[in-house]
Amino acid sequence: MTKKITNPEILAIRAAAEVDPACGRVWVGLDVGLKSTSVCVLDRDGKVVHQVSMKTHPTEIGRYLAKNFASNVAVVGMETGAMSAHLAGGLRKQGHQVAVMDALQVHRVLSLKRNKTDTNDARGIAEITRTGRDYLTEVYVKSAACFEVRAQLIMRHRLVQQRLANENMIRGLLRVYGGRVEPGAKSSATYRDRVVEQLLIIQDREGINLRPRILPVLDLCERLQRDVVRIETELEALAAANPVCRRFMVGAARCRSEIGAPSMIKSPRLTDLQLILLSTASQRDDGNPPLGYQPNGRTLAIVEDHADIVRHIFARYLDLGNVRLVADALASEGIIAPERTATTRRVTGGRPFTRGQIYKLLSNPIYIGEIHHKGQIHDGKHEAIIDRDIWDAVQQMLATNRQGERSGSRASSPSLLASRIVDQHGEPLVAAHACKGKVRYRYYVNRSLQHNADRHATDSLRIPAREIETAVVTSLATALDDPLALLTQAGITLESDRLRTILKKAEQLAASVRHKQRDVISDLVARVVVHPHEIAIRLSVAALCRACTIDPANSPDGITLTEPVRLTRTGLALRLIQRDGRPVTQGKPDPGLIALLRKARNWWRQLQTGTIDIATIADQEKVNDSWVSRVVRLNFLAPVIVEAILAGTQPASVSATALRTANLPIDWNEQIALFGM
């Protein structure tokens, strides 16, 4: 027997819906938990009609909505979570419109409420569903079939991981007794044979029988491998049944036939998939090919009208030497990008060339019949539009005008050593930066590290630009303060009547270096090599002689200055430390450290009033109590340490992280000893 509805608000909504369906519409908010879900129903005026908590299951919630509100439910709203896909799919099957909103955005809205409970959260979600859904991101929920495939992929990955872990454990146990399983075992059977062979050798040599311990693990590896094969068979069947996956499989087979024998490819970094993409890179028919070409079966054919435009752009760049001027010249000549329609029916062109388009066109090696991929050069199957001589001249001009060689006059903090600094192995360190708020932090990083952010090799360098530039500028200016010793080291004979002029010129040059004038430093510094315990600065003797108005006849190309500093790793970055333990950039106070001391002083003054405690400060600052306690301790730092921080002369061991995490003693002398001062 169905229980009779007695709630007056629900009865009123149902009565209003019979008169006017629009008046009886309700919006439902769900605060989903693992076991139970809080449900809140609002009418069109935002009034709570009903609130209840029930089991987290779409059937239970759907039965509740159908019984009490029939077809009057406008939208059911919830936030993303572990159970949202299950609930959203089940409710949609019952005919409800479900809105799944981004959990982070919903949390920011709900955090404004004073009392945070499941019931209040459900009401807040219902209110968002009723009035604010347009301002939040609605998340697409994948189908159950997608999650089924994902579950199979995850399970296969876990099984492979477990099998490899067990095999590595067996290898480790065998190494203890001098056994070694040779690499190259492609199947579990081959691997088992090799392990059993090593077990027999160990038994004969050491008299130790490891088979009772190792064979059960081998059996487990074989069972795991059988499960992996079973899952892979199911995935292959799913792929064969899906038309999109079948298209990928046909394309892969076609490209595999283009490669022939992958073993002939010498590059170990080029995988089969990259070769597949590479072999058809110049023959793409899924969109527009580069300007000047059109698809022609499995290759590209030249479109002469468009090719003439490409040749004209290369010629104009050689004449003008500036992409901006080329763009202006093309616009004044009435030359625009030809209008072309891709196979996707997307129309491009029909408007003036942009500088970005011209840069891309001038640097595209497809115009000389080549395909460049990760440093490798491959011949394409299409004809070239640009002659090799013209291409080389344009690339040389582009390299000369690249950003690293510009004056940097418009930059607030230009990279002084761009294209001149290398590590001890000769690998270039390129200028990079990161922004936090409005602050820009510059670094010199290994080129390989820049292109692979996940690389964590111990010899990779990421040096703060300000520190390395300060070290180079200081060393160079100090050397210029004694120009006679510098010129003697270069083997230049001085004339006594010109000595005063040379000293005056050297003094002006040292001042320009200390002011970090980019053009002066770029002219003097030929190369900077960063070693673990020193920096080697290659000084251009010719530039020095020009600046001091000296004849450089019979002088060497350069002389080397060394600065004894050592590299100390701090996280991913490296710090340059002098022999006395102080950073190279000493004398410039660290704003972060000063802000930390100021915060410690302000919080301590608030605590001294007795009207506030640490928990209140933590709540106001949106941090935890422990963090506030660690910062407040800095109010009792030794005066010597505080003075060093304010003067910028603290050692590298005194950092914001070290101050917050160190076990700070009460005695000031012990604090000074702790930080090595």
Side-chain angles (χ1 to χ4, degrees):
M1 182 175 179
T2 306
K3 186 177 179 181
K4 186 177 180 180
I5 301 173
T6 59
N7 186 286
E9 286 82 3
I10 297 179
L11 293 174
I13 284 292
R14 297 185 65 161
E18 294 177 357
V19 178
D20 184 2
C23 296
R25 304 288 281 174
V26 295
W27 286 261
V28 182
L30 305 180
D31 184 59
V32 182
L34 188 61
K35 294 183 178 180
S36 63
T37 296
S38 294
V39 183
C40 180
V41 183
L42 301 180
D43 62 12
R44 66 174 185 173
D45 297 324
K47 181 181 177 182
V48 176
V49 177
H50 195 223
Q51 289 180 313
V52 67
S53 178
M54 61 182 58
K55 183 180 178 181
T56 302
H57 197 279
T59 303
E60 295 287 336
I61 299 173
R63 186 184 298 118
Y64 162 78
L65 295 177
K67 173 185 174 182
N68 293 285
F69 304 101
S71 59
N72 300 324
V73 177
V75 182
V76 179
M78 68 181 74
E79 57 184 333
T80 54
M83 303 292 292
S84 58
H86 175 59
L87 288 180
L91 292 174
R92 283 170 179 165
K93 287 181 180 179
Q94 300 175 35
H96 294 290
Q97 181 182 352
V98 181
V100 182
M101 294 165 288
D102 183 82
L104 180 59
Q105 297 179 359
V106 173
H107 172 72
R108 289 172 178 170
V109 176
L110 297 181
S111 62
L112 300 176
K113 292 183 174 294
R114 178 168 299 179
N115 297 322
K116 198 171 189 316
T117 62
D118 293 344
T119 303
N120 288 342
D121 285 352
R123 180 174 180 178
I125 294 172
E127 190 66 33
I128 294 171
T129 305
R130 186 180 71 88
T131 61
R133 194 155 52 98
D134 294 338
Y135 302 100
L136 273 68
T137 302
E138 191 167 337
V139 179
Y140 171 76
V141 179
K142 296 179 182 178
S143 64
C146 292
F147 281 104
E148 180 184 359
V149 175
R150 182 184 180 189
Q152 288 180 299
L153 292 171
I154 293 175
M155 185 58 63
R156 179 195 173 277
H157 176 68
R158 298 298 185 193
L159 290 174
V160 171
Q161 280 188 325
Q162 292 178 20
R163 178 176 61 81
L164 293 176
N166 289 330
E167 291 178 355
N168 290 333
M169 179 185 67
I170 293 174
R171 287 191 177 94
L173 292 174
L174 294 179
R175 288 196 189 104
V176 175
Y177 300 98
R180 182 173 181 270
V181 181
E182 294 294 334
K186 300 299 183 183
S187 66
S188 58
T190 307
Y191 177 78
R192 183 186 185 92
D193 294 341
R194 297 189 180 190
V195 171
V196 171
E197 179 184 358
Q198 292 297 318
L199 291 175
L200 295 175
I201 293 175
I202 293 173
Q203 185 174 3
D204 293 340
R205 185 175 60 225
E206 305 289 341
I208 299 175
N209 185 12
L210 295 175
R211 281 180 292 177
R213 300 171 181 82
I214 300 297
L215 291 181
V217 183
L218 281 175
D219 296 337
L220 177 60
C221 292
E222 291 181 350
R223 288 198 298 270
L224 292 172
Q225 181 60 24
R226 285 196 296 269
D227 290 336
V228 170
V229 173
R230 177 181 55 80
I231 294 176
E232 288 178 346
T233 303
E234 295 175 358
L235 290 173
E236 290 173 359
L238 287 174
N242 188 289
V244 177
C245 294
R246 283 203 307 270
R247 185 173 299 177
F248 274 105
M249 294 166 67
V250 172
R254 182 189 306 161
C255 296
R256 178 64 176 79
S257 66
E258 291 285 339
I259 298 171
S263 60
M264 297 179 63
I265 305 299
K266 303 301 182 183
S267 174
R269 292 174 176 245
L270 217 53
T271 64
D272 286 348
L273 178 59
Q274 290 170 331
L275 286 170
I276 288 172
L277 299 175
L278 181 61
S279 64
T280 56
S282 63
Q283 308 157 15
R284 295 177 183 168
D285 55 3
D286 57 341
N288 275 338
L291 180 64
Y293 291 102
Q294 65 179 2
N296 183 22
R298 299 292 298 166
T299 184
L300 296 174
I302 296 177
V303 181
E304 286 299 335
D305 293 342
H306 297 174
D308 290 339
I309 297 176
V310 174
R311 297 186 187 101
H312 180 69
I313 292 175
F314 272 81
R316 293 296 285 163
Y317 182 72
L318 288 177
D319 292 339
L320 300 175
N322 184 285
V323 171
R324 179 179 57 81
L325 297 179
V326 172
D328 294 341
L330 294 176
S332 63
E333 296 171 5
I335 299 176
I336 62 175
E339 186 173 296
R340 298 186 295 164
T341 303
T343 56
T344 57
R345 298 184 180 179
R346 178 173 176 265
V347 179
T348 58
R351 61 187 64 186
F353 283 96
T354 64
R355 282 184 283 177
Q357 290 174 324
I358 296 174
Y359 272 117
K360 184 68 176 177
L361 188 147
L362 293 174
S363 59
N364 194 343
I366 202 170
Y367 290 119
I368 55 172
E370 294 180 352
I371 301 170
H372 293 193
H373 181 78
K374 290 190 175 181
Q376 300 291 326
I377 300 176
H378 305 269
D379 293 332
K381 296 181 179 180
H382 58 283
E383 296 182 12
I385 292 178
I386 301 300
D387 294 334
R388 170 65 69 173
D389 294 340
I390 297 177
W391 169 264
D392 292 339
V394 168
Q395 301 315 302
Q396 179 64 34
M397 189 173 292
L398 286 173
T400 304
N401 294 336
R402 69 181 183 270
Q403 186 174 3
E405 291 294 324
R406 292 177 182 171
S407 62
S409 57
R410 291 184 294 178
S412 59
S413 54
S415 298
L416 302 178
L417 306 178
S419 74
R420 287 173 171 78
I421 182 170
V422 298
D423 64 8
Q424 59 180 334
H425 306 298
E427 182 181 355
L429 302 180
V430 297
H433 71 276
C435 295
K436 185 176 182 181
K438 295 184 179 179
V439 182
R440 188 169 183 251
Y441 299 92
R442 296 186 300 112
Y443 300 93
Y444 290 102
V445 303
N446 284 103
R447 180 171 293 169
S448 56
L449 184 64
Q450 185 192 37
H451 292 296
N452 184 6
D454 295 331
R455 179 185 174 196
H456 295 291
T458 56
D459 58 346
S460 299
L461 299 184
R462 187 171 183 260
I463 306 174
R466 187 165 67 98
E467 296 191 6
I468 188 68
E469 289 170 358
T470 299
V472 172
V473 166
T474 301
S475 178
L476 191 57
T478 303
L480 290 172
D481 288 338
D482 190 1
L484 298 182
L486 195 62
L487 295 172
T488 301
Q489 183 180 352
I492 297 176
T493 304
L494 301 177
E495 300 176 1
S496 58
D497 56 342
R498 301 196 65 254
L499 188 58
R500 181 172 297 180
T501 303
I502 293 173
L503 293 176
K504 185 65 175 177
K505 292 286 186 181
E507 182 181 354
Q508 296 173 355
L509 194 61
S512 300
V513 170
R514 285 192 171 93
H515 285 88
K516 296 185 177 181
Q517 293 187 11
R518 181 186 173 90
D519 54 344
V520 176
I521 295 175
S522 299
D523 197 27
L524 287 175
V525 178
R527 189 181 183 88
V528 176
V529 183
V530 181
H531 297 281
H533 299 288
E534 67 177 14
I535 301 174
I537 306 167
R538 187 67 176 174
L539 179 63
S540 172
V541 175
L544 178 63
C545 292
R546 283 197 305 271
C548 296
T549 63
I550 302 173
D551 184 10
N554 300 324
S555 61
D557 294 335
I559 55 177
T560 301
L561 307 176
T562 58
E563 182 70 15
V565 296
R566 57 184 173 86
L567 299 175
T568 300
R569 188 171 293 277
T570 304
L572 291 178
L574 291 170
R575 300 292 306 277
L576 296 179
I577 308 301
Q578 301 179 26
R579 288 180 175 177
D580 57 1
R582 300 184 183 276
V584 171
T585 54
Q586 64 170 343
K588 295 185 178 180
D590 187 337
L593 284 176
I594 294 177
L596 198 62
L597 294 180
R598 186 182 294 114
K599 185 172 293 186
R601 184 63 57 88
N602 291 338
W603 287 353
W604 175 246
R605 288 175 179 171
Q606 295 179 38
L607 293 172
Q608 281 183 311
T609 62
T611 59
I612 195 172
D613 57 7
I614 289 179
T616 305
I617 295 177
D619 184 61
Q620 293 175 352
E621 299 290 336
K622 306 298 182 184
V623 296
N624 56 44
D625 301 0
S626 176
W627 199 87
V628 175
S629 300
R630 292 196 300 269
V631 173
V632 168
R633 291 184 310 168
L634 303 184
N635 192 66
F636 307 102
L637 272 179
V640 174
I641 301 177
V642 175
E643 292 173 0
I645 293 174
L646 296 177
T649 58
Q650 77 280 0
S653 57
V654 180
S655 63
T657 302
L659 290 177
R660 289 197 307 267
T661 59
N663 187 11
L664 202 64
I666 299 177
D667 186 81
W668 286 348
N669 292 326
E670 294 180 6
Q671 292 180 14
I672 295 172
L674 175 66
F675 293 109
M677 297 179 62

